[in-house]
Amino acid sequence: MRTLAAVLVVVLLLGSSVLVADSPYDSNVESEENPFAPERPATLDRTTATAYLVDYERTRLYNDLLSSRGHTVDGGDDVRTNCTAVSRERVTEDRFRVRLRCRGEIADVYRLVQPTGFTYTVTYRLTANTQEQLAIRGYPYAERDDLRPRPRPAK
């Protein structure tokens, strides 16, 4: 009888942590602010263009992960984003094309079984004055959050 009760408790805990979208164990819901887009570098070269686009895409991904949860996360949720450059080329002296591979997920420390995250690729063209997303593959969301411009500090 004790074995049956223990098995039922384990099954209920596993079932609730797998089937519930947010953690059932932490009722402390925290509202999240969208992070601002990174500031564009003053001078562009392969290194600064790549670093800027990695930061920019990580911020967009973070915003979309939050948006997928209604811009709130449980206290035990951990929003994880990672982007790395898989190719970068200098097209002209002031124009760069950078392809990124990114991974995103929201991990819940209270879940025994975590849903898997996702990976996608995105390609940008960047100049001193313009930025254009050329392609995106494997992105699970239909729309992307707009990034608000970072406010300039008062002088």
Side-chain angles (χ1 to χ4, degrees), residues 16-32:
S16 66
S17 70
V18 172
L19 299 176
V20 177
D22 291 324
S23 170
Y25 305 110
D26 189 356
S27 61
N28 299 321
V29 176
E30 300 172 1
S31 181
E32 290 284 328

PDB file of all heavy atoms in Angstrom, residues 16-32:
ATOM      1  N   SER A  16       2.318  16.774 -13.347  1.00  0.00           N
ATOM      2  CA  SER A  16       2.046  18.210 -13.233  1.00  0.00           C
ATOM      3  C   SER A  16       3.223  19.032 -13.710  1.00  0.00           C
ATOM      4  O   SER A  16       3.046  20.105 -14.267  1.00  0.00           O
ATOM      5  CB  SER A  16       1.680  18.575 -11.794  1.00  0.00           C
ATOM      6  OG  SER A  16       2.785  18.390 -10.937  1.00  0.00           O
ATOM      7  N   SER A  17       4.459  18.551 -13.542  1.00  0.00           N
ATOM      8  CA  SER A  17       5.593  19.349 -13.990  1.00  0.00           C
ATOM      9  C   SER A  17       5.790  19.252 -15.500  1.00  0.00           C
ATOM     10  O   SER A  17       6.394  20.119 -16.094  1.00  0.00           O
ATOM     11  CB  SER A  17       6.872  18.928 -13.265  1.00  0.00           C
ATOM     12  OG  SER A  17       7.279  17.656 -13.690  1.00  0.00           O
ATOM     13  N   VAL A  18       5.261  18.218 -16.131  1.00  0.00           N
ATOM     14  CA  VAL A  18       5.386  18.084 -17.577  1.00  0.00           C
ATOM     15  C   VAL A  18       4.240  18.793 -18.294  1.00  0.00           C
ATOM     16  O   VAL A  18       4.437  19.446 -19.309  1.00  0.00           O
ATOM     17  CB  VAL A  18       5.422  16.589 -17.981  1.00  0.00           C
ATOM     18  CG1 VAL A  18       5.349  16.435 -19.486  1.00  0.00           C
ATOM     19  CG2 VAL A  18       6.661  15.922 -17.438  1.00  0.00           C
ATOM     20  N   LEU A  19       3.035  18.709 -17.772  1.00  0.00           N
ATOM     21  CA  LEU A  19       1.864  19.211 -18.468  1.00  0.00           C
ATOM     22  C   LEU A  19       1.551  20.677 -18.220  1.00  0.00           C
ATOM     23  O   LEU A  19       0.923  21.322 -19.036  1.00  0.00           O
ATOM     24  CB  LEU A  19       0.640  18.371 -18.081  1.00  0.00           C
ATOM     25  CG  LEU A  19       0.736  16.894 -18.428  1.00  0.00           C
ATOM     26  CD1 LEU A  19      -0.484  16.156 -17.913  1.00  0.00           C
ATOM     27  CD2 LEU A  19       0.900  16.692 -19.914  1.00  0.00           C
ATOM     28  N   VAL A  20       1.988  21.250 -17.115  1.00  0.00           N
ATOM     29  CA  VAL A  20       1.661  22.631 -16.780  1.00  0.00           C
ATOM     30  C   VAL A  20       2.666  23.550 -17.457  1.00  0.00           C
ATOM     31  O   VAL A  20       3.865  23.346 -17.366  1.00  0.00           O
ATOM     32  CB  VAL A  20       1.665  22.838 -15.250  1.00  0.00           C
ATOM     33  CG1 VAL A  20       1.405  24.280 -14.896  1.00  0.00           C
ATOM     34  CG2 VAL A  20       0.637  21.933 -14.610  1.00  0.00           C
ATOM     35  N   ALA A  21       2.155  24.585 -18.132  1.00  0.00           N
ATOM     36  CA  ALA A  21       3.028  25.493 -18.877  1.00  0.00           C
ATOM     37  C   ALA A  21       4.020  26.187 -17.961  1.00  0.00           C
ATOM     38  O   ALA A  21       5.193  26.319 -18.277  1.00  0.00           O
ATOM     39  CB  ALA A  21       2.201  26.524 -19.620  1.00  0.00           C
ATOM     40  N   ASP A  22       3.582  26.691 -16.821  1.00  0.00           N
ATOM     41  CA  ASP A  22       4.462  27.331 -15.854  1.00  0.00           C
ATOM     42  C   ASP A  22       4.510  26.470 -14.600  1.00  0.00           C
ATOM     43  O   ASP A  22       3.638  25.661 -14.351  1.00  0.00           O
ATOM     44  CB  ASP A  22       3.955  28.725 -15.497  1.00  0.00           C
ATOM     45  CG  ASP A  22       4.090  29.672 -16.670  1.00  0.00           C
ATOM     46  OD1 ASP A  22       5.072  29.540 -17.408  1.00  0.00           O
ATOM     47  OD2 ASP A  22       3.211  30.522 -16.840  1.00  0.00           O
ATOM     48  N   SER A  23       5.517  26.684 -13.806  1.00  0.00           N
ATOM     49  CA  SER A  23       5.707  25.870 -12.622  1.00  0.00           C
ATOM     50  C   SER A  23       4.538  25.972 -11.658  1.00  0.00           C
ATOM     51  O   SER A  23       4.106  27.059 -11.314  1.00  0.00           O
ATOM     52  CB  SER A  23       6.982  26.311 -11.902  1.00  0.00           C
ATOM     53  OG  SER A  23       7.049  25.700 -10.646  1.00  0.00           O
ATOM     54  N   PRO A  24       4.015  24.833 -11.182  1.00  0.00           N
ATOM     55  CA  PRO A  24       2.936  24.868 -10.207  1.00  0.00           C
ATOM     56  C   PRO A  24       3.443  25.102  -8.789  1.00  0.00           C
ATOM     57  O   PRO A  24       2.667  25.274  -7.874  1.00  0.00           O
ATOM     58  CB  PRO A  24       2.317  23.471 -10.324  1.00  0.00           C
ATOM     59  CG  PRO A  24       3.456  22.610 -10.736  1.00  0.00           C
ATOM     60  CD  PRO A  24       4.334  23.483 -11.617  1.00  0.00           C
ATOM     61  N   TYR A  25       4.754  25.128  -8.602  1.00  0.00           N
ATOM     62  CA  TYR A  25       5.313  25.187  -7.260  1.00  0.00           C
ATOM     63  C   TYR A  25       5.630  26.599  -6.800  1.00  0.00           C
ATOM     64  O   TYR A  25       5.858  26.824  -5.635  1.00  0.00           O
ATOM     65  CB  TYR A  25       6.602  24.350  -7.204  1.00  0.00           C
ATOM     66  CG  TYR A  25       6.367  22.953  -7.666  1.00  0.00           C
ATOM     67  CD1 TYR A  25       6.897  22.521  -8.862  1.00  0.00           C
ATOM     68  CD2 TYR A  25       5.583  22.075  -6.928  1.00  0.00           C
ATOM     69  CE1 TYR A  25       6.665  21.234  -9.305  1.00  0.00           C
ATOM     70  CE2 TYR A  25       5.359  20.795  -7.367  1.00  0.00           C
ATOM     71  CZ  TYR A  25       5.903  20.385  -8.555  1.00  0.00           C
ATOM     72  OH  TYR A  25       5.669  19.117  -8.994  1.00  0.00           O
ATOM     73  N   ASP A  26       5.681  27.540  -7.685  1.00  0.00           N
ATOM     74  CA  ASP A  26       6.071  28.897  -7.312  1.00  0.00           C
ATOM     75  C   ASP A  26       5.012  29.869  -7.787  1.00  0.00           C
ATOM     76  O   ASP A  26       4.880  30.126  -8.972  1.00  0.00           O
ATOM     77  CB  ASP A  26       7.429  29.230  -7.929  1.00  0.00           C
ATOM     78  CG  ASP A  26       7.988  30.539  -7.409  1.00  0.00           C
ATOM     79  OD1 ASP A  26       7.305  31.220  -6.627  1.00  0.00           O
ATOM     80  OD2 ASP A  26       9.115  30.863  -7.786  1.00  0.00           O
ATOM     81  N   SER A  27       4.271  30.406  -6.860  1.00  0.00           N
ATOM     82  CA  SER A  27       3.210  31.331  -7.243  1.00  0.00           C
ATOM     83  C   SER A  27       3.705  32.763  -7.357  1.00  0.00           C
ATOM     84  O   SER A  27       2.934  33.663  -7.657  1.00  0.00           O
ATOM     85  CB  SER A  27       2.074  31.263  -6.218  1.00  0.00           C
ATOM     86  OG  SER A  27       2.578  31.641  -4.946  1.00  0.00           O
ATOM     87  N   ASN A  28       4.975  33.001  -7.125  1.00  0.00           N
ATOM     88  CA  ASN A  28       5.529  34.346  -7.235  1.00  0.00           C
ATOM     89  C   ASN A  28       5.827  34.657  -8.690  1.00  0.00           C
ATOM     90  O   ASN A  28       6.842  34.263  -9.228  1.00  0.00           O
ATOM     91  CB  ASN A  28       6.819  34.480  -6.420  1.00  0.00           C
ATOM     92  CG  ASN A  28       6.581  34.236  -4.957  1.00  0.00           C
ATOM     93  OD1 ASN A  28       5.562  34.646  -4.424  1.00  0.00           O
ATOM     94  ND2 ASN A  28       7.500  33.548  -4.307  1.00  0.00           N
ATOM     95  N   VAL A  29       4.922  35.343  -9.330  1.00  0.00           N
ATOM     96  CA  VAL A  29       5.103  35.685 -10.731  1.00  0.00           C
ATOM     97  C   VAL A  29       5.773  37.040 -10.798  1.00  0.00           C
ATOM     98  O   VAL A  29       5.367  37.990 -10.135  1.00  0.00           O
ATOM     99  CB  VAL A  29       3.749  35.714 -11.475  1.00  0.00           C
ATOM    100  CG1 VAL A  29       3.943  36.178 -12.908  1.00  0.00           C
ATOM    101  CG2 VAL A  29       3.115  34.340 -11.441  1.00  0.00           C
ATOM    102  N   GLU A  30       6.819  37.115 -11.583  1.00  0.00           N
ATOM    103  CA  GLU A  30       7.554  38.353 -11.738  1.00  0.00           C
ATOM    104  C   GLU A  30       7.310  38.908 -13.130  1.00  0.00           C
ATOM    105  O   GLU A  30       7.393  38.189 -14.108  1.00  0.00           O
ATOM    106  CB  GLU A  30       9.051  38.101 -11.553  1.00  0.00           C
ATOM    107  CG  GLU A  30       9.389  37.537 -10.198  1.00  0.00           C
ATOM    108  CD  GLU A  30      10.837  37.121 -10.089  1.00  0.00           C
ATOM    109  OE1 GLU A  30      11.586  37.282 -11.064  1.00  0.00           O
ATOM    110  OE2 GLU A  30      11.208  36.633  -9.024  1.00  0.00           O
ATOM    111  N   SER A  31       7.012  40.175 -13.214  1.00  0.00           N
ATOM    112  CA  SER A  31       6.835  40.826 -14.505  1.00  0.00           C
ATOM    113  C   SER A  31       8.202  41.261 -14.999  1.00  0.00           C
ATOM    114  O   SER A  31       9.005  41.796 -14.241  1.00  0.00           O
ATOM    115  CB  SER A  31       5.911  42.036 -14.362  1.00  0.00           C
ATOM    116  OG  SER A  31       5.727  42.643 -15.608  1.00  0.00           O
ATOM    117  N   GLU A  32       8.461  41.046 -16.256  1.00  0.00           N
ATOM    118  CA  GLU A  32       9.763  41.370 -16.816  1.00  0.00           C
ATOM    119  C   GLU A  32       9.673  42.557 -17.760  1.00  0.00           C
ATOM    120  O   GLU A  32       8.728  42.690 -18.519  1.00  0.00           O
ATOM    121  CB  GLU A  32      10.313  40.171 -17.604  1.00  0.00           C
ATOM    122  CG  GLU A  32      10.719  39.010 -16.747  1.00  0.00           C
ATOM    123  CD  GLU A  32      12.038  39.235 -16.044  1.00  0.00           C
ATOM    124  OE1 GLU A  32      12.910  39.924 -16.607  1.00  0.00           O
ATOM    125  OE2 GLU A  32      12.190  38.733 -14.941  1.00  0.00           O
TER     126      GLU A  32
END
